[in-house]
Amino acid sequence: MPTMSIQQDAKSFTEESLGEWLGQHGIPNYRVGQILRWIYHQGAYSFSEMTDLSKDLRKFLSERLFISRLETEQVQTSRDGSRKYLFRLKDGQYIQSVLIPERGRWTLCVSSQVGCGMGCKFCLTGRDGLVRNLEPSEIVNQVCAVRDALGEPDSVTNIVFMGMGEPLANYNSVVQAIQTITGNNGLQFSGRRVSLSTAGLVPRMDDLGRDVRVGLAVSLNAADNDTRNRLMPINRTYPIEMLLSACRRFSLPPRWMIMFEYVLIAGVNDAPTDAERLAKLLRPLRAKINLIPFNPYEGTEFRRPEEGAILAFQKVLLDRHYTAVIRRSKGGDIGAACGQLCPEICNNGQAREG
Ligand code: SAH
Ligand code: SF4
């Protein structure tokens, strides 16, 4: 009986593993770069386009490999110019990526998981837990799809792992995706233009600093352990002192800073005394601070602070010479703001008011 060969996704390989695979079929290693550059530089989706490969090799590859892409289900544009892309995965799950225009830059916020298992109390993405991890190709393909849609290879200038999911809880896939995104034969982003945000998975933060060179953002969200324990269950495993020690250990190239994100929630963590404590905590670090006024969603008990409280909190930090920016979240009107991405919204394709 003839065996049907199952085709593999060319985008699931690393440079190394593609070399090994080709080697097993007697194909020389210099083909790796050629093939990957067709895929990631030229945006090829078929081997027949790869005109500098022999006809026989093209045929051989087409029979055994395919080049995956995400299915774009919906694109919504916000009043502020940000765009939310809804992608359908091969198993019918949905993920979102958000493209944010800002001072000549286009930052793409990518997802690393469907849902999230960290259970932060203020976050809609995590409300229903983790559905599944994304594969490396599903992460990279968010960038490819947006680039394809915009029609220019340089259209996306920065990438942040701040979409759905906790990237360090899907460590191997995220690192492989980062290698493809920053690789010379990959999407060629400088590591300076890629950053990853974590709720504070301390052991993986150490690994990350060793394995790749990208920017680090930490969702701190509270300046004392009691408050952080209540908001972010992961703090019970890795409390603030451990988290900040990991930040101090993180190998940061000269002049790079760690970005600390702080979601401001009325009556929970927004008092001037919280700001003072935060300033003290971050003193030993090369830190800048993003203040994100809480984005409300249906069914949440939390509220966004009044404008006066937000500005007063920021002033405490500015007075202590921190760079502290208030993130007026983009895309609130299309449910694309921080913490508003969620599988459930994806599944009915609807955005809620932010
Ligand atoms: N899991 C990672 C990456 C997701 S980033 C992390 O938590 O860092 C998502 C960011 O949005 C985090 O900084 C989180 O603190 C913030 N966030 C979550 N829910 C929010 C909400 N409702 N309003 C404002 N910011 C929120
Ligand atoms: Fe997960 Fe981050 Fe949301 Fe926490 S804030 S539930 S870690 S996505």
Side-chain angles (χ1 to χ4, degrees), residues 112-113 115-118 130 132-134 165-174 196-201 204-205 234:
S112 56
Q113 299 180 310
C116 181
M118 294 292 126
L130 175 67
R132 75 165 171 87
N133 280 330
L134 294 187
E166 166 51 47
L168 295 186
N170 182 17
Y171 187 78
N172 292 341
S173 295
V174 164
L196 179 150
S197 174
T198 179
L201 271 176
R204 295 287 88 76
M205 288 167 68
I234 192 171

Side-chain angles (χ1 to χ4, degrees), residues 1-264:
M1 219 170 71
T3 48
M4 277 286 288
S5 67
I6 300 167
Q7 287 191 317
Q8 262 180 288
D9 181 4
K11 284 178 165 169
S12 69
F13 288 96
T14 61
E15 218 167 310
E16 202 187 353
S17 66
L18 183 59
E20 281 165 17
W21 186 88
L22 292 173
Q24 284 160 10
H25 294 90
I27 301 163
N29 204 265
Y30 70 87
R31 296 293 188 194
V32 174
Q34 268 180 310
I35 296 169
L36 292 179
R37 289 194 295 273
W38 274 107
I39 296 176
Y40 295 113
H41 297 188
Q42 309 294 329
Y45 286 101
S46 77
F47 293 96
S48 55
E49 293 170 54
M50 304 185 182
T51 46
D52 54 357
L53 307 184
S54 72
K55 277 226 171 79
D56 283 352
L57 181 54
R58 280 183 252 164
K59 180 163 177 287
F60 178 88
L61 294 172
S62 315
E63 283 166 1
R64 287 162 182 82
L65 302 178
F66 70 98
I67 303 166
S68 65
R69 69 201 305 168
L70 293 177
E71 205 179 300
T72 306
E73 182 90 3
Q74 191 184 37
V75 186
Q76 288 174 284
T77 304
S78 162
R79 284 190 291 271
D80 60 33
S82 60
R83 288 181 209 173
K84 182 168 78 171
Y85 292 82
L86 175 66
F87 298 116
R88 186 176 193 279
L89 306 177
K90 55 182 186 275
D91 60 354
Q93 297 292 339
Y94 289 92
I95 51 165
Q96 295 164 326
S97 316
V98 183
L99 185 66
I100 305 154
E102 221 173 17
R103 290 174 274 113
R105 293 194 310 207
W106 283 90
T107 299
L108 184 67
C109 177
V110 296
S111 295
S112 56
Q113 299 180 310
V114 182
C116 181
M118 294 292 126
C120 304
K121 296 288 181 288
F122 49 81
C123 177
L124 189 57
T125 304
R127 195 177 52 183
D128 297 324
L130 175 67
V131 179
R132 75 165 171 87
N133 280 330
L134 294 187
E135 294 168 14
S137 60
E138 291 171 326
I139 299 171
V140 173
N141 275 337
Q142 296 170 56
V143 187
C144 297
V146 172
R147 241 180 30 164
D148 292 349
L150 296 179
E152 294 163 49
D154 299 333
S155 46
V156 178
T157 56
N158 295 63
I159 294 180
V160 292
F161 283 79
M162 290 189 191
M164 294 162 65
E166 166 51 47
L168 295 186
N170 182 17
Y171 187 78
N172 292 341
S173 295
V174 164
V175 165
Q176 185 179 323
I178 290 173
Q179 283 162 345
T180 303
I181 287 168
T182 56
N184 266 337
N185 290 325
L187 295 174
Q188 293 184 298
F189 278 81
S190 146
R192 283 190 164 272
R193 295 184 172 270
V194 178
S195 57
L196 179 150
S197 174
T198 179
L201 271 176
V202 164
R204 295 287 88 76
M205 288 167 68
D206 288 329
D207 295 340
L208 187 77
R210 260 196 315 270
D211 293 342
V212 288
R213 185 162 272 216
V214 292
L216 180 68
V218 173
S219 296
L220 192 57
N221 299 335
D224 66 89
N225 281 318
D226 278 350
T227 310
R228 198 164 191 270
N229 283 342
R230 260 181 284 134
L231 293 176
M232 304 178 73
I234 192 171
N235 197 65
R236 298 193 194 122
T237 314
Y238 305 114
I240 291 176
E241 309 71 58
M242 279 176 82
L243 175 57
L244 296 183
S245 306
C247 291
R248 271 200 297 276
R249 287 194 298 274
F250 193 79
S251 57
L252 218 49
R255 295 192 305 280
W256 288 28
M257 309 254 241
I258 297 182
M259 167 71 71
F260 288 88
E261 294 152 289
Y262 194 102
V263 180
L264 282 165

Side-chain angles (χ1 to χ4, degrees), residues 292-310:
I292 316 171
F294 175 69
N295 289 309
Y297 49 85
E298 211 180 287
T300 178
E301 62 194 281
F302 295 126
R303 282 178 308 112
R304 171 191 293 241
E306 302 293 333
E307 192 59 22
I310 297 172

